[in-house]
Amino acid sequence: MKNIIFIAPPAAGKGTQSTLLENKYDYKHLSTGDLLRAEIKTGSELGKEINEIISKGEFVSDELITKLLKNELAKVKHQKFILDGYPRNIAQAETLSSIFDELGIDNYTTIYLDLDPETAKKRALGRIVCSQCGASYNTYFQNLMPKKNGICDKCQGELSQRSDDNEEAFVTRFDKFIELTNPLLEYYEEKGVLEKVDSSMDTEDIFKNIENILGSDDVDN
Ligand code: AMP
């Protein structure tokens, strides 16, 4: 199966779909947002700087994120992987192309999770995540609510809102997506590696669509 690059507005379900692919097909999930949140958790000076940027919905510098990602990609180059959150602009896409060349990676597809702003906003503002295992729930959708208020179904960890899932940061993140990330669709379309999935559907239906895309070349390995 091909390596995957997800391109999606905030709260379109990149993280959820990545977890499903990880569990079913043994993909390695590389999320640049998770890498940054892990650095924040260490309490380092760098983590504090990153937290200030992320909480406002801004992007961290291309230089920093590329360095973090390159280290992780080198570790998984012999496995199949999902890139979630990178590239986010054309400069990052071009850098990624060079990293792939350097590491000898040429088998990938780009999946665009398309979602309208209103639904994305509802999902972002309702999202709560587990501080221990990272599982994601949503208080706006009956079928995505945790069984016990504020407690993770899977590990009993505490659930809380991400610092960038507030209305102001959401608007900044969505606008940034339209301005910077949207042009990537053209970039990958020209390369002939762009697939589109309607992300307003249920999680299971989105997953089936992704499986169809991946299955259309080689399902067995
Ligand atoms: P995510 O978990 O993908 O929604 O990312 C959360 C936040 O991390 C983003 O809003 C950015 O502030 C930062 N971030 C993640 N990936 C990148 C990237 N490729 N370039 C710049 N900033 C990023």
Side-chain angles (χ1 to χ4, degrees):
M1 271 173 142
K2 287 185 174 176
N3 297 307
I4 300 167
I5 299 174
F6 272 136
I7 298 180
K14 288 176 290 159
T16 305
Q17 294 302 322
S18 297
T19 304
L20 293 172
L21 287 161
E22 217 177 4
N23 292 343
K24 188 161 177 184
Y25 296 108
D26 216 17
Y27 271 93
K28 176 77 190 150
H29 177 204
L30 288 184
S31 153
T32 45
D34 286 351
L35 289 176
L36 294 168
R37 283 183 285 273
E39 185 64 42
I40 294 172
K41 256 194 176 171
T42 67
S44 68
E45 277 310 306
L46 177 63
K48 285 179 194 147
E49 279 171 39
I50 293 172
N51 192 30
E52 243 181 67
I53 298 169
I54 289 192
S55 301
K56 286 190 266 180
E58 303 285 346
F59 283 0
V60 304
S61 74
D62 286 353
E63 198 189 0
L64 168 67
I65 195 69
T66 302
K67 197 169 145 200
L68 284 178
L69 180 75
K70 200 172 169 184
N71 284 339
E72 295 302 308
L73 263 179
K75 290 184 210 158
V76 302
K77 64 178 181 178
H78 298 302
Q79 283 172 265
K80 36 181 203 288
F81 60 82
I82 301 162
L83 265 188
D84 159 2
Y86 191 105
R88 265 181 152 94
N89 58 38
I90 294 286
Q92 292 184 5
E94 282 165 351
T95 306
L96 185 64
S97 226
S98 318
I99 298 176
F100 277 3
D101 286 348
E102 230 176 90
L103 299 175
I105 297 165
D106 58 6
N107 187 25
Y108 70 93
T109 190
T110 310
I111 300 180
Y112 170 45
L113 299 179
D114 186 18
L115 190 62
D116 63 279
E118 276 316 303
T119 313
K121 186 165 151 186
K122 263 197 207 167
R123 285 191 189 168
L125 300 189
R127 173 160 61 185
I128 37 177
V129 291
C130 176
S131 52
Q132 286 184 35
C133 73
S136 183
Y137 300 85
N138 205 300
T139 54
Y140 272 101
F141 300 94
Q142 196 64 36
N143 60 339
L144 297 177
M145 280 178 30
K147 292 196 181 83
K148 269 195 228 155
N149 220 352
I151 306 286
C152 178
D153 293 352
K154 292 178 188 144
C155 75
Q156 315 304 310
E158 202 181 311
L159 301 177
S160 59
Q161 212 178 22
R162 272 170 46 168
S163 64
D164 55 351
D165 277 341
N166 61 74
E167 186 147 4
E168 205 181 329
F170 171 82
V171 171
T172 307
R173 285 157 68 209
F174 205 92
D175 288 353
K176 281 228 160 232
F177 173 79
I178 300 292
E179 180 197 340
L180 297 173
T181 313
N182 239 4
L184 289 179
L185 303 181
E186 221 170 276
Y187 178 90
Y188 284 112
E189 187 140 48
E190 269 172 26
K191 282 182 179 275
V193 288
L194 184 70
E195 301 281 354
K196 187 169 158 179
V197 172
D198 172 6
S199 205
S200 65
M201 299 182 292
D202 285 349
T203 303
E204 293 76 20
D205 290 328
I206 300 172
F207 189 57
K208 272 187 211 142
N209 275 267
I210 293 174
E211 284 184 302
N212 283 341
I213 290 170
L214 298 171
S216 59
D217 40 330
D218 55 342
V219 211
D220 298 331
N221 50 81

